[in-house]
Amino acid sequence: GQQVMQIPQYQHVQEGEDFTTYCNSSTTLSNIQWYKQRPGGHPVFLIQLVKSGEVKKQKRLTFQFGEAKKNSSLHITATQTTDVGTYFCANPGGKLIFGQGTELSVKP
Amino acid sequence: EPEVTQTPSHQVTQMGQEVILRCVPISNHLYFYWYRQILGQKVEFLVSFYNNEISEKSEIFDDQFSVERPDGSNFTLKIRSTKLEDSAMYFCASSGGSANYGYTFGSGTRLTVV
């Protein structure tokens, strides 16, 4: 399966600051999925991006798929303490291959 | 909302013992998966299962591992002779389709091998 790399590994922000995590692949992806895992929890599906250049929003979360379909990003505007967790991108090519994740901590 | 159910939530076992982790996927899903997550690390693919057979497995999924769907609802992962390094959180997941559906994960079984 195609590996996806995520940066940064950790991000500590003050509540109200923005947060972005990036996902990169060396090869073209057919689509990409994003998951959130709260501390001690299980991965929860957030969204799937399929089209080149696609942008999708879920309230304060904005997901982008690059034009070349080799990278993706998740941006959270004005973080809240409920955003704490690890955000994974994943390549769903028949089996879901997760990136290493970005662990977000939010200081109130 | 439909859930993937895993039992037990915690399992402690002696090294060399067999363990069976159980999962009830979402009823109309067709694809089933096992993943594991060693503490602080990423979620790793173990095996996928479709149409009553393994469709893909990773290098981790060696001869000590097996999966079964014994009765059309349960989906089990068996580890025949556990090793210390098998200690991890094991997640079951199911999806409606192979590549175009989000996966629904269970809450996991924390396996501790002592």
Side-chain angles (χ1 to χ4, degrees), chain B residues 13-109:
Chain B
T13 189
Q14 295 266 345
M15 192 167 56
Q17 294 295 305
E18 174 183 286
V19 293
I20 297 177
L21 310 183
R22 302 180 192 279
C23 170
V24 179
I26 293 173
S27 60
N28 62 348
H29 280 183
L30 302 175
Y31 295 82
F32 314 112
Y33 310 87
W34 283 100
Y35 285 80
R36 81 169 185 193
Q37 187 176 34
I38 294 169
L39 190 64
Q41 299 186 21
K42 69 174 182 176
V43 181
E44 298 176 290
F45 169 77
L46 292 178
V47 66
S48 58
F49 193 86
Y50 170 72
N51 202 25
N52 285 321
E53 60 182 26
I54 291 173
S55 44
E56 199 160 355
K57 57 185 180 179
S58 72
E59 293 171 354
I60 303 167
F61 195 89
D62 62 21
D63 292 344
Q64 293 300 310
F65 291 86
S66 62
V67 288
E68 249 192 344
R69 189 158 159 80
D71 56 14
S73 62
N74 290 285
F75 180 48
T76 61
L77 174 69
K78 184 193 290 187
I79 310 175
R80 286 191 188 80
S81 177
T82 49
K83 304 190 268 288
L84 295 175
E85 53 265 38
D86 293 328
S87 296
M89 181 71 92
Y90 287 80
F91 292 109
C92 173
S94 67
S95 75
S98 64
N100 292 317
Y101 293 80
Y103 289 33
T104 303
F105 283 78
S107 300
T109 294

Side-chain angles (χ1 to χ4, degrees), chain A residues 3-34:
Chain A
Q3 298 294 323
V4 288
M5 306 298 292
Q6 255 184 284
I7 54 169
Q9 190 174 358
Y10 303 99
Q11 185 83 59
H12 309 286
V13 299
Q14 196 75 37
E15 190 172 24
E17 291 181 339
D18 292 356
F19 159 77
T20 305
T21 173
Y22 300 90
C23 183
N24 297 293
S25 170
S26 58
T27 55
T28 303
L29 302 168
S30 56
N31 49 19
I32 195 155
Q33 295 181 357
W34 284 93

